[in-house]
Amino acid sequence: MKIKLNKNIRMKHSLLLILLLSLASISSAKLKSDTLKNKKRPKIGLVLSGGGAKGFAHVGVLKVIDELEIPIDYIAGTSMGSIIGGFYSIGYSADQIEEMILSQNWDKLLADEISRKYVPFHEKQNYERHVLSFPIKPKGIQLPSGIVSGQNVINLFERLSIDYHDVNNFKNLPIPFVCVATDIETGEAVILDKGYLPEAMRASMAIPTVFSPIEIDGRLLVDGGMVNNFPVKEVVDMGADIVIGVDVQSGPKSKEELNSFLDIINQTVSLMALNEFKKNIDFVDVYIKPDINNYSVGSFNEADSLIRKGEEIGRKYIPELKELKEKYQLKKKKIKKYKPPVDSTTYYVKNIEFEGLNEVSKSLLAGKLNLDTPGEVSLHQLKKGINRSFGSRYFDNVDFKLVGNKTKSLQVRVKERTTKRFNVGLRYDSDNKAGVLLNTTFRNKLRSGSHLSFDLKLAENPRFVTTYAIDNGLKPGITIQAEYNDWQVDGFEDGKKIGNYDLDYYKLDVNTHSILRESYSVGIGAKAEYYNLQSNYSLPDVELEGTDDYFFSYYAFLRIDSHEKAYYPKKGVSLYGEYKLVTNNGARLDGMERPASIAYLKFQKAISISPTFTVYPKAYARVVWGKSIPDFFKTYTGGIDQTDYFDIQMPFVGLERMEMNSNNSFIFRTDFQYELFRNNYLIFKANFGRLSDDINRSFESGEWIRGVALTYSYNSLIGPMEFSLMYSNKKDKVLNYVSLGYWF
């Protein structure tokens, strides 16, 4: 009986204990539920690594994040991650960033290439003829701090973030943002969370030796990937509770995989930041790594494929991201979608402030900007003004900042280009053989806006030219040029080479000219020329043996050049027209009552039929009239291209250089250019012409000539590389012609 009672007591105690535990569990669950309701949701941080062009994969992941409406509270990025993250932080959607990336010409953007229409007229001929250019400083010739200055990159950032130029603290952006750079002097990581957003992004992606460093607050900054390519700690310090990290680094490569300049640079950066990466990865909650090992840091022309790869890996993480969203009841906060400006967007600019001017005058820079302030300024006008300023060659960088609310103050900051430069050109062609061009250029000598240059061509046919020019736009400017040429010219008879002669040529040329919109120039001038010819034979119908003479010419000219690039343009027109009077005593030619007259025309137009097919109609004409025309001023036809050494040569494919001579020459030519693949061209050239000695009976007594050529060309980093086969009705064989490098 006693045992039974004890059992009943124990059962009652057990039931009571179970009841108490149940009540405690219910109470605890209710308390946790109430606590969860009262607790704020966890903050989500996004980390985007560096990786050059591979960083485009970030955009694909962001597209998935946007689609799932995952809220992002903080962003940290390095290098390309800082660029994608920076734009995302000010309200760009992933789709908008994708559109921006795919609309860029990355070759031009990264090479600081601008259209030649923004280059001053006197610079157009020199713009694409040097392979190397070095500043001359007090300690001598120095290498540049980077292959490119990043002018186009920062201008793009400035235009696309123009409504946030006033935000100095990146915590005040729609999504708080930081990026990482490296102090190249100390090797320390620099956290950029304040300042000027475009400048911070540009500093974070300044790959050493490729992009020039950026100075911010007295520190010289380069790519942050050198010390911290995956800034997780930085986003945690901002307040992130949960971290989503997207890593596009390739990791260290084997020696067999290091095959290019960019591979070596990327490997160097990866190794330096490897230890920091290992520490950071432990704090990542969702680690996303796209499969992009087959791409390189330089795969900028494969942006669409990289974005697609990012989206593919992002979709594999949809279940994990959805679970995160549901677990913490995440709701995306409303961020005003950024509306990027377009060319027609206008701003009321009350004044312009200049920073960085020392040797260049404010008036010169203001004239290049050509903005009417105070007043409305469109983004298109501003972009053209910045391009004209940079194209002037007086600056290594020209960037801008618009500050203010309804009325804006435009701050234009420049880094003056070293006024003394040493330039090198390299060239080989079948006519002139190998040559090296050594050029020294000095700017702002005697007065602002001037340039003084010395050209020395080292070759079988040496040449020396010195030029001093002052350009004043529409106001008349002046050019003074002295030149010496030592030239070997071949002589032909019935299409066969019969010898050559040595021509020494001296020239002093002075002209005054006006320039309109960088593409049109008109002027008048005078020049004195001396010819000395030595030969052991006489050319057919031309007595040139051991002759020399002085000549004085007076001329007027019109020049147009609106091609967007010097080689393989796809739009624009070039024209040079000149009329001159030739004398040998200042007023007339001996034995004549008046000077000889020479009219000259060269014309070309680029017509783009499609992105890969361009047609170039061309016309050349040179007419000489008067009695006793000096043989030095006759017209010599032949040669695949036209040099600027003498104005007596007319190009004609199918003939050797200067093969036929006459008083008058009319040539019509069309080039059909097809771009087989990037920078590789196949060009068919066809021309015909009429040569004569009597201008009044040119089409009765003259001679018709015809010729064709087929050219394969590769536009390399050191200039065009071309191989041509050509034929004409004046030759009984197919000629070949090889050309390597820029013309000079």
Side-chain angles (χ1 to χ4, degrees):
M1 190 73 182
K2 187 176 181 178
I3 295 172
K4 188 175 180 180
L5 182 62
N6 289 337
K7 286 182 178 179
N8 288 337
I9 291 172
R10 283 198 298 271
M11 288 180 65
K12 288 180 179 179
H13 286 169
S14 297
L15 290 171
L16 182 61
L17 181 62
I18 291 171
L19 180 62
L20 290 173
L21 289 172
S22 297
L23 290 172
S25 176
I26 293 170
S27 177
S28 176
K30 185 175 186 303
L31 180 63
K32 185 175 181 181
S33 177
D34 291 343
T35 302
L36 188 63
K37 287 180 181 179
N38 294 329
K39 184 181 179 182
K40 292 182 179 180
R41 69 163 180 82
K43 298 295 184 180
I44 310 298
L46 176 67
V47 179
L48 304 177
S49 80
K54 293 190 292 184
F56 293 149
H58 290 316
V59 180
V61 177
L62 287 176
K63 290 175 73 174
V64 175
I65 289 175
D66 279 354
E67 181 182 313
L68 297 176
E69 296 187 333
I70 302 292
I72 300 298
D73 300 289
Y74 307 105
I75 301 175
T78 299
S79 197
M80 183 60 80
S82 75
I83 298 170
I84 306 298
F87 286 125
Y88 197 71
S89 73
I90 63 175
Y92 277 88
S93 68
D95 288 337
Q96 285 178 308
I97 298 174
E98 178 183 31
E99 182 182 354
M100 179 268 288
I101 289 172
L102 297 181
S103 65
Q104 301 304 315
N105 184 325
W106 288 96
D107 290 337
K108 291 184 177 180
L109 188 72
L110 297 174
D112 283 343
E113 183 179 336
I114 63 169
S115 174
R116 286 175 75 251
K117 68 182 180 181
Y118 298 120
V119 178
F121 210 97
H122 69 268
E123 293 280 3
K124 288 183 187 291
Q125 292 178 314
N126 300 325
Y127 191 58
E128 292 180 355
R129 67 173 190 155
H130 301 135
V131 177
L132 301 170
S133 181
F134 309 99
I136 302 174
K137 297 187 177 181
K139 294 183 180 180
I141 297 172
Q142 296 183 7
L143 292 174
S145 58
I147 297 174
V148 293
S149 66
Q151 167 71 16
N152 288 345
V153 169
I154 196 166
N155 280 178
L156 176 68
F157 295 169
E158 288 167 339
R159 293 196 300 272
L160 294 177
S161 64
I162 198 166
D163 291 338
Y164 287 91
H165 286 190
D166 270 331
V167 178
N168 296 318
N169 191 328
F170 302 161
K171 293 178 182 178
N172 297 329
L173 295 173
I175 301 177
F177 169 74
V178 300
C179 60
V180 181
T182 302
D183 186 325
I184 195 64
E185 184 179 12
T186 64
E188 297 174 345
V190 178
I191 308 304
L192 298 173
D193 57 1
K194 295 180 177 65
Y196 186 37
L197 181 62
E199 190 175 56
M201 294 191 294
R202 164 67 178 84
S204 182
M205 53 80 70
I207 301 172
T209 73
V210 177
F211 288 97
S212 298
I214 290 286
E215 185 174 341
I216 298 178
D217 295 333
R219 307 184 79 171
L220 198 61
L221 304 182
V222 296
D223 196 315
M226 295 181 66
V227 289
N228 188 356
N229 208 25
F230 199 48
V232 178
K233 183 177 181 298
E234 284 65 30
V235 82
V236 172
D237 290 344
M238 294 173 75
D241 301 302
I242 296 172
V243 176
I244 301 172
V246 186
D247 178 17
V248 297
Q249 304 171 89
S250 59
K253 293 185 176 183
S254 66
K255 62 182 180 181
E256 289 78 16
E257 296 174 303
L258 298 173
N259 299 315
S260 71
F261 172 70
L262 287 175
D263 287 339
I264 299 295
I265 291 179
N266 191 48
Q267 180 88 329
T268 304
V269 171
S270 297
L271 291 174
M272 294 178 69
L274 187 58
N275 289 334
E276 193 69 23
F277 170 75
K278 290 177 180 178
K279 296 176 186 176
N280 285 333
I281 197 170
D282 292 336
F283 296 94
V284 178
D285 298 283
V286 182
Y287 178 69
I288 302 174
K289 188 170 180 61
D291 181 15
I292 51 177
N293 288 332
N294 292 331
Y295 299 85
S296 75
V297 293
S299 299
F300 288 94
N301 292 310
E302 299 178 88
D304 54 344
S305 177
L306 282 160
I307 293 172
R308 192 163 55 249
K309 285 287 186 180
E311 188 172 355
E312 287 174 5
I313 191 67
R315 295 203 171 280
K316 290 182 180 179
Y317 281 83
I318 285 179
E320 192 170 338
L321 293 171
K322 276 187 173 180
E323 182 183 352
L324 185 70
K325 181 179 179 182
E326 293 169 2
K327 180 178 180 180
Y328 297 106
Q329 302 178 22
L330 302 178
K331 291 184 179 180
K332 188 169 185 176
K333 61 180 180 180
K334 290 185 178 180
I335 295 176
K336 183 180 179 181
K337 188 176 181 181
Y338 188 68
K339 185 179 179 181
V342 295
D343 280 355
S344 59
T345 304
T346 60
Y347 305 88
Y348 186 86
V349 178
K350 60 182 179 181
N351 67 299
I352 303 177
E353 301 171 4
F354 299 106
E355 181 182 334
L357 291 175
N358 294 306
E359 297 189 23
V360 180
S361 65
K362 285 185 180 180
S363 59
L364 187 147
L365 180 54
K368 294 296 181 183
L369 289 169
N370 193 28
L371 300 176
D372 189 12
T373 58
E376 294 287 337
V377 174
S378 71
L379 188 62
H380 179 64
Q381 290 173 313
L382 179 57
K383 183 164 60 174
K384 286 177 64 176
I386 295 293
N387 283 338
R388 276 194 302 267
S389 301
F390 179 67
S392 71
R393 317 297 285 168
Y394 286 102
F395 310 103
D396 282 329
N397 285 103
V398 183
D399 63 88
F400 70 93
K401 187 177 183 180
L402 271 178
V403 294
N405 295 319
K406 291 184 179 180
T407 60
K408 302 283 187 179
S409 177
L410 175 63
Q411 298 175 357
V412 179
R413 302 182 303 173
V414 300
K415 180 182 178 183
E416 290 187 351
R417 188 178 176 91
T418 303
T419 57
K420 308 176 187 67
R421 299 194 73 85
F422 176 70
N423 308 300
V424 180
L426 303 172
R427 178 168 177 78
Y428 172 87
D429 65 72
S430 300
D431 289 335
N432 307 308
K433 308 307 177 189
V436 176
L437 175 66
L438 304 178
N439 167 267
T440 306
T441 299
F442 303 90
R443 298 179 183 278
N444 301 321
K445 290 295 181 182
L446 300 183
R447 58 156 290 174
S448 178
S450 66
H451 81 278
L452 172 66
S453 70
F454 300 93
D455 279 356
L456 175 61
K457 178 186 174 185
L458 303 176
E460 287 185 7
N461 300 312
R463 182 182 187 224
F464 177 77
V465 183
T466 180
T467 305
Y468 182 76
I470 299 172
D471 286 322
N472 296 319
L474 279 175
K475 296 179 181 178
I478 188 169
T479 298
I480 304 172
Q481 186 176 81
E483 178 178 348
Y484 166 72
N485 274 284
D486 181 1
W487 202 259
Q488 296 289 326
V489 181
D490 293 324
F492 296 86
E493 185 174 349
D494 297 329
K496 295 182 180 180
K497 190 181 298 184
I498 59 174
N500 62 17
Y501 57 90
D502 183 69
L503 173 64
D504 288 327
Y505 171 71
Y506 301 82
K507 178 182 74 173
L508 177 63
D509 189 346
V510 180
N511 71 62
T512 181
H513 55 272
S514 294
I515 296 174
L516 174 64
R517 297 181 181 177
E518 316 294 353
S519 296
Y520 305 85
S521 179
V522 60
I524 57 174
K527 56 186 172 183
E529 299 169 282
Y530 171 72
Y531 294 84
N532 185 298
L533 191 74
Q534 298 295 328
S535 177
N536 294 321
Y537 73 97
S538 297
L539 289 175
D541 302 321
V542 183
E543 296 297 330
L544 289 172
E545 183 177 348
T547 58
D548 66 293
D549 206 347
Y550 292 92
F551 295 93
F552 302 92
S553 302
Y554 311 97
Y555 62 94
F557 67 90
L558 168 66
R559 189 189 294 269
I560 300 172
D561 187 347
S562 62
H563 291 306
E564 87 282 12
K565 52 185 178 180
Y567 296 89
Y568 317 110
K570 294 189 175 181
K571 58 184 177 180
V573 172
S574 64
L575 178 146
Y576 182 76
E578 179 185 274
Y579 173 77
K580 70 178 177 181
L581 300 175
V582 179
T583 76
N584 62 359
N585 65 8
R588 60 186 178 84
L589 281 168
D590 290 340
M592 296 181 60
E593 295 181 357
R594 59 183 179 180
S597 295
I598 300 175
Y600 172 73
L601 176 70
K602 177 176 71 173
F603 170 84
Q604 171 181 310
K605 181 175 176 61
I607 304 173
S608 183
I609 306 299
S610 73
T612 57
F613 184 55
T614 307
V615 177
Y616 304 101
K618 305 180 181 184
Y620 307 91
R622 191 171 186 274
V623 178
V624 183
W625 67 96
K627 298 179 180 179
S628 303
I629 303 298
D631 294 322
F632 296 115
F633 291 95
K634 285 183 175 290
T635 303
Y636 295 86
T637 302
I640 197 166
D641 286 302
Q642 184 172 26
T643 68
D644 293 322
Y645 304 141
F646 307 106
D647 61 6
I648 60 175
Q649 184 219 343
M650 299 288 286
F652 192 88
V653 296
L655 294 179
E656 297 187 60
R657 184 174 182 272
M658 298 175 66
E659 180 174 335
M660 302 183 68
N661 70 84
S662 61
N663 282 348
N664 312 307
S665 180
F666 302 91
I667 307 297
F668 302 93
R669 170 174 153 184
T670 302
D671 293 359
F672 302 89
Q673 175 184 291
Y674 181 72
E675 189 169 9
L676 299 170
F677 44 95
R678 184 165 164 258
N679 288 329
N680 287 262
Y681 303 91
L682 189 65
I683 309 170
F684 177 72
K685 305 173 182 180
N687 55 195
F688 68 93
R690 186 78 169 179
L691 310 182
S692 71
D693 287 324
D694 187 349
I695 184 62
N696 296 318
R697 303 179 65 244
S698 291
F699 291 90
E700 297 175 12
S701 60
E703 178 181 10
W704 286 101
I705 54 175
R706 299 176 297 277
V708 294
L710 185 64
T711 299
Y712 181 83
S713 178
Y714 170 59
N715 193 17
S716 73
L717 291 174
I718 62 170
M721 299 183 175
E722 297 186 346
F723 176 75
S724 301
L725 296 174
M726 52 187 179
Y727 179 80
S728 77
N729 65 324
K730 297 294 293 182
K731 310 288 284 188
D732 57 0
K733 62 179 180 180
V734 175
L735 303 177
N736 63 74
Y737 180 80
V738 176
S739 172
L740 308 173
Y742 297 118
W743 275 104
F744 55 74

